């Protein structure tokens, strides 16, 4: 009872009454509020003037609502729409819990009346035996019935929690039957689902509270009810008498429907009921399932499959062991025994299940999936550790027999092509769950040579190995990964992460090799690309699960087929594909086994040496030798994966390091350098990470660090030399007597490609140096660093061009700084060495950029060095004062240096904060840089400075000072900086929100500027501010804001699209009535046009469409984008008459005009589009309405109207108009109404508006066209092209047309012409035949003219 009361104690009853009396948006809520208010008013009158909801008690409102509801129950049919029953039921539903908790005796006494009233309401609702009868019933009966069920559920909840409700058992059951249970089979889905949900709510309450007799009442009753329905179906006769065939068919169908409805309920009911109830119902369910799958009637196959699906879905709630947590430690031995018994029965029925679902009926795939789920659920349950002690001996005897049969049964479910791919994926997912369960691994760990577990595992391996057969080929994409998962499970179950002895490894390999080698052999047997890819993915799963070392122990890469032509010792051609799979599948922490460097040194490098030796054999062709060299690189590419958590660094790495040094210098394989450097980087990072997390000072970790430190003295010098060698490598310029330009271009391209490859290798080497340097001895590292600095200083003072050498030395210095292993003395020395390179441009842009990179690393990793009080001023003067000698390529690196310095500032340090104003000028100017990287670095520096300043008001004041700069360039940059700050902080910082109105008011003054870049920045700032300010803050600034934007200067015409976006936002916020008076009189047509579009969009707007607002989350897009503009800003400067640019520029109209007339060659150029539209319009005159006022009526019969008639050839400067039509007149002056066969300009305009509205609805997103529409459009275009070609062929070609000049009026001589253009017309006898004579005469008529000068007609 406590849990039931706690549910409603959180909300005071007075709030419930207030919510009942408050009307909502829907009609039912309004009615409920009216009824509740009337009841409350009556109660308050009885309380003599009470006017507070606190004084209304639950008991009083309950009694009033119950009496009112009881009075509405009559035998006559009522009108649901006018009846208060629905409202009274809702009031009772919310009040009953408070009455039951606060006054249980009253509720117990009134429950009989409550039950009788609810049963009366339900009985008064017209019955419906079929779903088709619902149309005959008045609207609202279903809602009333569902409300009655909900109220009855709450009423029963309130009575069964009472301790003294034993005497109400019959009344409780009567109420439950009449109001809820009788609707379990209702044909109306909503009513049926409501009855199921209400029953489950009662059962959940019974399961969550104390186990008393009353709480068991409804659960026990539901068990008996369910059992009765199931047994009734089970006892139904299998055969029907002929004389009662129709009646029995109807009854059988009803039983099937009733059973299916019950099974859908049992899926949830069996989860919350007790063990005894589950077993009682489960036994009957299994009997029905056995009967269903044994029926061989073809006519009932579909019904049987659907019933079987429902039965197995319900049984899964019993079989699934994950439900044990809800049983609170109860002994589940009986349930385990039941599952074991049904396990055997289900396995025996596998043939019948597969046979029943072979016909491809609806639900066949689901049936097999549920069947597989049931098998897997029982198997994993009985394999788990939580099985009852009484059943463990039985399970130990059953598992060796039934587990392999379970694998076979599940695999057979996907052995044919009748099953859908979705079902195959689901079944294989269940099989993978069985393979990965802990019980399989437990069997593998605890098996003995003489035990039955060995045979069990071998039988399971044999069962899964069947998926390699070609009858599973159509389902290999799902079955082969299961085979790979089994191989991984066996390896991980037999071999612990710490390793194992040789006998255990041999035993594991003997068991797993058939699976893995079967996959490898299958790759050679198939010939289609899809199957090969599936096999590669499956092999990759094995590699990820067991690691490269274990996998290469399972597959001998040197073994190939008998027909394979492979040199002894090299990788087989048949197995070479495995190298790529291993390389792509290995990743960190993908398997529990730590790799051994000794295996790589002995086995992998052994294969690499044999491949290298084979590549130099005289028996191989150049292509075959190249293949062998490629395999050497593939084998070496496994080295980084062996460096992840390597197990034997102490014993193997010293000898391996020498091999690595030699391999990096091997000129035959330059690709090995990047591979080895990557492995060294991974190894160094791994050693350092383990050392940092080592708390217990593990001897192995300490020894690994010591060995790597000793080896670094040999590796680092080699890496340093390699960097110099790579920088010194260039394409030698050979003299040649051939001056062909193509050779020069090829040589340049080759040199560029080589330099790119060398640069990538340099990056890999420097990364390895940075990773290995922290582990090197301090004395050794300090000596290397001094040598680098000495050589750098010598190169900088040399009179020769030492650019490459200086870049190399600076790269080495950068790697050492990045390693964070240098002390302050070394950093100071490096700083003094690169300072002259930054202050001067004598060494070239590459050296200066590299010097800035080194200094950026110093600023990032040694911030305390650059922010020291004695050095900060010097550093800032260096970065800011070097502007005059700054190279273009080094601009963004200088800003990065400043950013890293600023990131190290302390907001409480006054000296550091005083430095910020000196930086702001450089930041603002960089915002206008032509380079994108520089601008982005400037924005990041701007935000970093604002963050460090920790006072956004003061920081904005510094930037606002730049608005008074002399140059428009600086003023524009200042506005852009303010825009970015507003964009980043206005929604998260209240201080910025408060100062934003003042900022906006200040920036608006710049609308008087004449510089275009300033206007653009101001418009961007206004756009950001309008989106960030709330309505009340922005409203006082509207006159200045709108007036400034609409001023007639260079900005308005240039940025009209962005201005219109802002106006749209303002109109949506404040309305047209507020914004229109603020717009100049000559621009009111813009808002009129916008209002018309909005009204039209409102009329045609479909459900769930947007109004065109585009959510722009990126600052650059908001500043530069013209989206959120219904017509791309083309209607900002409207004209008086004619078409608007909106009409011309919309995609739909343009496409229509181009396809109809083929006049416009470009829809992007406005002038061409306007000319195209004018050329396609009518040639008649137009009426000029520029002198008319808005709303005036033009008298067409007035003789003065002819003054306003305007011909098409007149100049019309105004491009925009709100007129929707063009008028045409005949020779007598009558108005012409165009028909369907003419181009209707109004329709063109409407189509343009429709296109614009579509853009508004979609928010400028690309419209997706269906395949059908695309096919129709393609077919129409094809027909048009064919018709045009046909017309072109049938058209009579004029004589001499082939010689006619396209640029002039005469003839021209062209190439490949048989005759001269001025010679003669060749005569052909075929042209004078009877069939072609008429065409020849027409052709001759093109050159023979009559006396009048016209072409001669045929007589």
């Amino acid at each position: 009872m406590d849990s039931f009361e706690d549910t409603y104690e959180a909300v005071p009853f007075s709030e419930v009454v207030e919510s009942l009396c408050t009307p909502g948006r829907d009609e039912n809520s309004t009615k409920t509020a009216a009824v509740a208010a009337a009841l409350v008013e009556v109660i308050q009158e009885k309380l003599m003037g009470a006017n507070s909801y606190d004084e209304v008690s639950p008991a009083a409102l309950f009694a009033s609502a119950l009496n009112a509801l009881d009075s509405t129950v009559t035998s006559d049919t009522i009108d649901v729409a006018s009846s208060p029953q629905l409202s009274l039921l809702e009031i009772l539903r919310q009040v009953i819990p408070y009455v039951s908790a606060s006054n249980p005796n009253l509720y117990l006494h009134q429950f009989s009346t409550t039950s009788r009233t609810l049963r009366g309401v339900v009985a008064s609702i017209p019955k419906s035996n079929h779903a088709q009868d619902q149309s005959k019933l008045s609207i609202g009966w279903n809602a009333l019935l569902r409300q009655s069920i909900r109220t009855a559920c709450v009423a029963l909840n309130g009575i069964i929690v009472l301790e003294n409700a034993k005497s109400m058992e019959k009344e409780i059951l009567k109420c439950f039957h009449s109001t809820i249970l009788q609707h379990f089979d209702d044909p109306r889905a909503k009513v049926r689902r409501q009855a199921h949900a209400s029953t489950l709510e009662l059962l959940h309450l019974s399961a969550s509270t104390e186990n008393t007799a009353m709480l068991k009442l409804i659960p026990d009753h539901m068990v008996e009810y369910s059992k009765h329905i199931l047994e009734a179906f089970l006892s139904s006769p299998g055969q029907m008498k002929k004389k009662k065939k129709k009646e029995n068919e109807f009854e059988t169908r009803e039983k099937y429907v009733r059973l299916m409805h019950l099974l859908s309920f049992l899926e949830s009911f069996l989860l919350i009921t007790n063990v005894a109830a589950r077993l009682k119902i489960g036994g009957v369910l299994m009997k029905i399932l056995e009967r269903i799958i044994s029926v061989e009637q073809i006519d009932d196959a579909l019904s049987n499959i659907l019933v079987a699906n429902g039965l197995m879905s319900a049984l899964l709630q019993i079989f699934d062991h994950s439900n044990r947590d809800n049983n609170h430690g109860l002994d589940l031995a009986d349930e385990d025994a039941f599952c074991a018994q049904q396990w055997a029965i289900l396995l025996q029925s596998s043939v019948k299940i597969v046979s029943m679902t072979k016909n491809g009926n609806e639900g066949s795939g689901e049936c097999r999936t549920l069947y597989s789920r049931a098998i897997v659920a029982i198997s994993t349950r009985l394999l788990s550790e939580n099985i009852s002690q009484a059943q463990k001996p039985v399970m130990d005897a059953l598992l060796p027999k039934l587990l392999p049969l379970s694998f076979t049964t599940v695999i057979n479910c996907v052995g044919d092509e009748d099953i859908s791919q979705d079902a195959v994926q689901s079944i294989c997912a269940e099989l993978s769950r069985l393979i990965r369960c802990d019980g399989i691994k437990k069997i593998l760990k605890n098996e003995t040579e003489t035990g039955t577990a060995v045979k069990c595992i071998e039988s399971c391996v044999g069962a899964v190995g069947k998926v390699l057969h070609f009858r599973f080929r159509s389902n290999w994409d799902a079955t082969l990964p299961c085979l790979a998962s089994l191989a991984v499970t066996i390896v991980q179950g037999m071999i612990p992460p710490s390793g194992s002895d040789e006998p255990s490894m041999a035993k594991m390999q003997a068991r797993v090799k058939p699976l893995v080698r079967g996959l490898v052999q299958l790759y050679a047997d198939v010939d289609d690309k899809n199957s090969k890819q599936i096999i590669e993915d499956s092999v990759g799963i094995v590699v990820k699960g067991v690691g490269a070392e274990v996998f290469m122990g399972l597959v001998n890469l040197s073994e190939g087929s008998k027909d394979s032509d492979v040199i002894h010792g090299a990788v087989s051609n048949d197995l070479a594909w495995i190298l790529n799979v291993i390389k792509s599948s290995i990743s960190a922490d993908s398997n529990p086994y730590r790799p051994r460097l000794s295996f790589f040194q002995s086995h992998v490098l052994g294969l690499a040496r044999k491949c290298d030796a084979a590549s130099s054999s005289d028996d191989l062709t150049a292509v075959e030798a190249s293949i062998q060299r490629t395999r050497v690189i593939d084998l070496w590419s496994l080295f980084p994966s062996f460096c992840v958590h390597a197990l034997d660094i102490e014993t193997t790495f010293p000898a391996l390091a020498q091999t690595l040094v030699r391999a990096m210098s091997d000129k035959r394989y330059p690709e090995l350098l990047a591979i080895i450097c990557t492995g060294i980087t991974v190894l160094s990072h791994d050693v350092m990470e383990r050392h940092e997390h080592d708390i217990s000072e593990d001897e192995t970790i300490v020894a690994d660090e010591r060995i790597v430190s000793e080896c670094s003295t040999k590796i680092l010098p080699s890496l340093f030399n390699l960097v110099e060698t790579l920088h010194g490598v260039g394409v030698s310029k050979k003299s040649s007597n051939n001056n062909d330009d193509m050779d020069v271009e090829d040589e340049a391209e080759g040199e560029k490609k080589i330099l790119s490859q060398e640069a990538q290798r340099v990056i890999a080497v420097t990364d390895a140096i940075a990773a290995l340097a922290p582990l090197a001895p301090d004395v050794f590292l300090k000596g290397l660093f001094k040598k680098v600095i000495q050589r750098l200083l010598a190169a900088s003072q040399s009179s020769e061009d030492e650019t490459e050498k200086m870049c190399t030395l600076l790269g080495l210095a950068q790697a050492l700084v990045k390693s964070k292993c240098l002390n302050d003395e070394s950093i100071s020395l490096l700083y003094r060495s690169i300072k002259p390179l930054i202050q001067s441009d004598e060494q070239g842009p590459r050296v200066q950029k590299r010097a800035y990179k080194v200094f950026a690393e110093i600023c990032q990793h040694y911030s305390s060095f650059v922010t020291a009080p004695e050095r900060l001023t010097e550093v800032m003067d260096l970065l800011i004062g070097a502007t005059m000698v700054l190279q273009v390529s080094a601009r963004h690196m200088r800003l990065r240096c400043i950013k890293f310095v600023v990131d190290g500032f302390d907001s409480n340090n006054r000296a550091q904060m005083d430095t910020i104003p000196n930086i702001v000028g450089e930041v603002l100017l960089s915002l206008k840089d032509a380079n994108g990287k520089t601008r982005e670095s400037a924005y990041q520096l701007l935000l970093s400075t604002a963050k460090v300043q920790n006072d956004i008001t003061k920081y904005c004041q510094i930037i606002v000072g730049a608005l008074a700069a002399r140059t428009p360039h600086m003023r524009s940059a200042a506005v852009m900086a303010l825009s970015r700050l507003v964009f980043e902080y206005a929604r998260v910082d209240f201080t910025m929100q408060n100062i934003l109105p003042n900022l906006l008011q200040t920036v608006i003054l710049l609308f008087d500027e004449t510089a275009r870049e300033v206007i653009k920045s101001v418009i961007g700032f206004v756009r950001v501010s309008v989106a960030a300010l709330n309505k009340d803050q922005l409203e006082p600034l509207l006159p200045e804001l709108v007036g400034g934007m609409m001023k007639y200067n260079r900005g308005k015409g240039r940025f009209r699209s962005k201005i219109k976006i802002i106006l749209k936002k303002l109109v949506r916020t404040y309305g047209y009535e507020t914004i229109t008076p603020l717009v100049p009189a000559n621009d009111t047509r813009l808002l009129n046009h916008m209002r018309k579009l909005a009204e039209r969009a409102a009329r045609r707007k479909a459900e769930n469409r947007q109004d065109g607002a585009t959510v722009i989350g990126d600052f650059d897009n908001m500043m530069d984008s013209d989206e959120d503009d219904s017509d791309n800003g083309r209607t900002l400067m409207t004209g008086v008459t004619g078409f608007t640019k909106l009409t011309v520029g919309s995609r739909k109209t343009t496409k229509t005009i181009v396809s109809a007339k083929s006049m416009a060659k470009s829809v992007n150029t406005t002038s061409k589009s306007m000319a195209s539209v004018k050329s396609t319009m009518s040639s008649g005159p137009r009426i000029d309405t520029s002198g008319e006022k808005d709303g005036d009526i033009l008298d067409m019969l007035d003789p003065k109207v002819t003054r306003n008639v305007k011909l098409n050839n007149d100049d019309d400067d105004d491009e925009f108009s709100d007129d929707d039509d063009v008028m045409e007149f005949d020779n007598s002056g009558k108005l012409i109404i165009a028909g369907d066969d003419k181009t209707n300009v109004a329709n063109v305009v409407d189509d343009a508006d429709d296109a614009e509205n579509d853009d508004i609805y979609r928010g400028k997103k690309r419209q997706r066209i269906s395949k059908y529409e695309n096919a129709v459009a393609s077919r129409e275009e094809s027909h048009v092209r064919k018709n045009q070609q046909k017309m072109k062929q049938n058209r009579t070609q004029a004589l001499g047309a082939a010689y006619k000049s396209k640029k002039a009026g005469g003839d021209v001589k062209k190439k490949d012409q048989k005759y001269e253009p001025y010679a003669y017309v060749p005569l052909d006898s075929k042209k004078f035949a009877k069939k072609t004579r008429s065409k020849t005469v027409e052709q001759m008529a093109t050159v023979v003219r009559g006396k009048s000068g016209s072409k001669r007609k045929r007589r």
Side-chain angles (χ1 to χ4, degrees), residues 349-364:
S349 305
S350 62
V351 177
K352 296 180 180 179
I353 291 289
V354 174
S355 177
M356 182 177 66
T357 55
K358 269 190 175 181
N359 49 21
N361 285 333
E362 181 182 0
S364 298

PDB file of all heavy atoms in Angstrom, residues 349-364:
ATOM      1  N   SER A 349      11.893 -31.262 -32.723  1.00  0.00           N
ATOM      2  CA  SER A 349      10.918 -30.692 -33.662  1.00  0.00           C
ATOM      3  C   SER A 349      11.574 -29.861 -34.752  1.00  0.00           C
ATOM      4  O   SER A 349      10.875 -29.174 -35.494  1.00  0.00           O
ATOM      5  CB  SER A 349       9.922 -29.815 -32.884  1.00  0.00           C
ATOM      6  OG  SER A 349       9.317 -30.533 -31.830  1.00  0.00           O
ATOM      7  N   SER A 350      12.895 -29.884 -34.844  1.00  0.00           N
ATOM      8  CA  SER A 350      13.581 -29.004 -35.802  1.00  0.00           C
ATOM      9  C   SER A 350      13.184 -29.312 -37.241  1.00  0.00           C
ATOM     10  O   SER A 350      12.975 -28.401 -38.051  1.00  0.00           O
ATOM     11  CB  SER A 350      15.095 -29.146 -35.637  1.00  0.00           C
ATOM     12  OG  SER A 350      15.504 -30.480 -35.919  1.00  0.00           O
ATOM     13  N   VAL A 351      13.076 -30.588 -37.569  1.00  0.00           N
ATOM     14  CA  VAL A 351      12.726 -30.948 -38.940  1.00  0.00           C
ATOM     15  C   VAL A 351      11.337 -30.441 -39.287  1.00  0.00           C
ATOM     16  O   VAL A 351      11.088 -29.913 -40.378  1.00  0.00           O
ATOM     17  CB  VAL A 351      12.820 -32.471 -39.128  1.00  0.00           C
ATOM     18  CG1 VAL A 351      12.394 -32.856 -40.545  1.00  0.00           C
ATOM     19  CG2 VAL A 351      14.237 -32.958 -38.849  1.00  0.00           C
ATOM     20  N   LYS A 352      10.390 -30.559 -38.351  1.00  0.00           N
ATOM     21  CA  LYS A 352       9.029 -30.106 -38.597  1.00  0.00           C
ATOM     22  C   LYS A 352       8.975 -28.578 -38.727  1.00  0.00           C
ATOM     23  O   LYS A 352       8.242 -28.047 -39.564  1.00  0.00           O
ATOM     24  CB  LYS A 352       8.122 -30.578 -37.471  1.00  0.00           C
ATOM     25  CG  LYS A 352       8.001 -32.097 -37.366  1.00  0.00           C
ATOM     26  CD  LYS A 352       7.085 -32.493 -36.214  1.00  0.00           C
ATOM     27  CE  LYS A 352       6.969 -34.012 -36.114  1.00  0.00           C
ATOM     28  NZ  LYS A 352       6.108 -34.428 -34.983  1.00  0.00           N
ATOM     29  N   ILE A 353       9.746 -27.882 -37.908  1.00  0.00           N
ATOM     30  CA  ILE A 353       9.759 -26.416 -37.983  1.00  0.00           C
ATOM     31  C   ILE A 353      10.291 -25.965 -39.335  1.00  0.00           C
ATOM     32  O   ILE A 353       9.721 -25.093 -40.015  1.00  0.00           O
ATOM     33  CB  ILE A 353      10.602 -25.829 -36.841  1.00  0.00           C
ATOM     34  CG1 ILE A 353       9.913 -26.060 -35.490  1.00  0.00           C
ATOM     35  CG2 ILE A 353      10.846 -24.342 -37.063  1.00  0.00           C
ATOM     36  CD1 ILE A 353       8.689 -25.238 -35.267  1.00  0.00           C
ATOM     37  N   VAL A 354      11.404 -26.545 -39.772  1.00  0.00           N
ATOM     38  CA  VAL A 354      11.991 -26.167 -41.053  1.00  0.00           C
ATOM     39  C   VAL A 354      11.048 -26.517 -42.196  1.00  0.00           C
ATOM     40  O   VAL A 354      10.880 -25.750 -43.158  1.00  0.00           O
ATOM     41  CB  VAL A 354      13.357 -26.849 -41.229  1.00  0.00           C
ATOM     42  CG1 VAL A 354      13.911 -26.587 -42.623  1.00  0.00           C
ATOM     43  CG2 VAL A 354      14.337 -26.355 -40.176  1.00  0.00           C
ATOM     44  N   SER A 355      10.416 -27.683 -42.106  1.00  0.00           N
ATOM     45  CA  SER A 355       9.488 -28.078 -43.163  1.00  0.00           C
ATOM     46  C   SER A 355       8.266 -27.169 -43.210  1.00  0.00           C
ATOM     47  O   SER A 355       7.780 -26.830 -44.288  1.00  0.00           O
ATOM     48  CB  SER A 355       9.066 -29.530 -42.940  1.00  0.00           C
ATOM     49  OG  SER A 355       8.117 -29.939 -43.901  1.00  0.00           O
ATOM     50  N   MET A 356       7.760 -26.761 -42.056  1.00  0.00           N
ATOM     51  CA  MET A 356       6.574 -25.920 -42.011  1.00  0.00           C
ATOM     52  C   MET A 356       6.841 -24.529 -42.584  1.00  0.00           C
ATOM     53  O   MET A 356       5.941 -23.879 -43.118  1.00  0.00           O
ATOM     54  CB  MET A 356       6.085 -25.807 -40.564  1.00  0.00           C
ATOM     55  CG  MET A 356       4.811 -24.996 -40.384  1.00  0.00           C
ATOM     56  SD  MET A 356       4.246 -24.966 -38.672  1.00  0.00           S
ATOM     57  CE  MET A 356       5.553 -24.044 -37.891  1.00  0.00           C
ATOM     58  N   THR A 357       8.073 -24.069 -42.480  1.00  0.00           N
ATOM     59  CA  THR A 357       8.397 -22.703 -42.903  1.00  0.00           C
ATOM     60  C   THR A 357       9.088 -22.658 -44.252  1.00  0.00           C
ATOM     61  O   THR A 357       9.684 -21.641 -44.618  1.00  0.00           O
ATOM     62  CB  THR A 357       9.314 -22.046 -41.858  1.00  0.00           C
ATOM     63  OG1 THR A 357      10.472 -22.877 -41.649  1.00  0.00           O
ATOM     64  CG2 THR A 357       8.595 -21.874 -40.544  1.00  0.00           C
ATOM     65  N   LYS A 358       9.047 -23.733 -45.021  1.00  0.00           N
ATOM     66  CA  LYS A 358       9.684 -23.752 -46.335  1.00  0.00           C
ATOM     67  C   LYS A 358       8.811 -23.179 -47.433  1.00  0.00           C
ATOM     68  O   LYS A 358       9.274 -22.950 -48.536  1.00  0.00           O
ATOM     69  CB  LYS A 358      10.079 -25.185 -46.708  1.00  0.00           C
ATOM     70  CG  LYS A 358      11.491 -25.564 -46.289  1.00  0.00           C
ATOM     71  CD  LYS A 358      11.896 -26.878 -46.888  1.00  0.00           C
ATOM     72  CE  LYS A 358      13.366 -27.173 -46.555  1.00  0.00           C
ATOM     73  NZ  LYS A 358      13.805 -28.457 -47.144  1.00  0.00           N
ATOM     74  N   ASN A 359       7.521 -22.974 -47.134  1.00  0.00           N
ATOM     75  CA  ASN A 359       6.610 -22.544 -48.193  1.00  0.00           C
ATOM     76  C   ASN A 359       6.691 -21.049 -48.477  1.00  0.00           C
ATOM     77  O   ASN A 359       6.025 -20.560 -49.378  1.00  0.00           O
ATOM     78  CB  ASN A 359       5.173 -22.923 -47.835  1.00  0.00           C
ATOM     79  CG  ASN A 359       4.824 -22.505 -46.411  1.00  0.00           C
ATOM     80  OD1 ASN A 359       5.474 -21.629 -45.849  1.00  0.00           O
ATOM     81  ND2 ASN A 359       3.829 -23.152 -45.838  1.00  0.00           N
ATOM     82  N   GLY A 360       7.460 -20.326 -47.689  1.00  0.00           N
ATOM     83  CA  GLY A 360       7.608 -18.896 -47.926  1.00  0.00           C
ATOM     84  C   GLY A 360       6.423 -18.068 -47.508  1.00  0.00           C
ATOM     85  O   GLY A 360       6.272 -16.918 -47.951  1.00  0.00           O
ATOM     86  N   ASN A 361       5.545 -18.596 -46.637  1.00  0.00           N
ATOM     87  CA  ASN A 361       4.394 -17.837 -46.176  1.00  0.00           C
ATOM     88  C   ASN A 361       4.837 -16.682 -45.287  1.00  0.00           C
ATOM     89  O   ASN A 361       5.978 -16.633 -44.794  1.00  0.00           O
ATOM     90  CB  ASN A 361       3.435 -18.743 -45.392  1.00  0.00           C
ATOM     91  CG  ASN A 361       2.639 -19.651 -46.317  1.00  0.00           C
ATOM     92  OD1 ASN A 361       2.403 -19.309 -47.474  1.00  0.00           O
ATOM     93  ND2 ASN A 361       2.240 -20.816 -45.825  1.00  0.00           N
ATOM     94  N   GLU A 362       3.909 -15.786 -45.056  1.00  0.00           N
ATOM     95  CA  GLU A 362       4.193 -14.665 -44.172  1.00  0.00           C
ATOM     96  C   GLU A 362       4.473 -15.175 -42.766  1.00  0.00           C
ATOM     97  O   GLU A 362       3.742 -15.992 -42.224  1.00  0.00           O
ATOM     98  CB  GLU A 362       3.001 -13.712 -44.149  1.00  0.00           C
ATOM     99  CG  GLU A 362       3.203 -12.494 -43.268  1.00  0.00           C
ATOM    100  CD  GLU A 362       1.983 -11.611 -43.242  1.00  0.00           C
ATOM    101  OE1 GLU A 362       0.984 -11.959 -43.927  1.00  0.00           O
ATOM    102  OE2 GLU A 362       2.004 -10.591 -42.535  1.00  0.00           O
ATOM    103  N   GLY A 363       5.539 -14.686 -42.176  1.00  0.00           N
ATOM    104  CA  GLY A 363       5.896 -15.092 -40.830  1.00  0.00           C
ATOM    105  C   GLY A 363       6.822 -16.282 -40.769  1.00  0.00           C
ATOM    106  O   GLY A 363       7.209 -16.691 -39.668  1.00  0.00           O
ATOM    107  N   SER A 364       7.220 -16.857 -41.926  1.00  0.00           N
ATOM    108  CA  SER A 364       8.112 -18.025 -41.900  1.00  0.00           C
ATOM    109  C   SER A 364       9.476 -17.658 -41.345  1.00  0.00           C
ATOM    110  O   SER A 364      10.039 -18.375 -40.517  1.00  0.00           O
ATOM    111  CB  SER A 364       8.245 -18.601 -43.312  1.00  0.00           C
ATOM    112  OG  SER A 364       7.003 -19.040 -43.806  1.00  0.00           O
TER     113      SER A 364
END
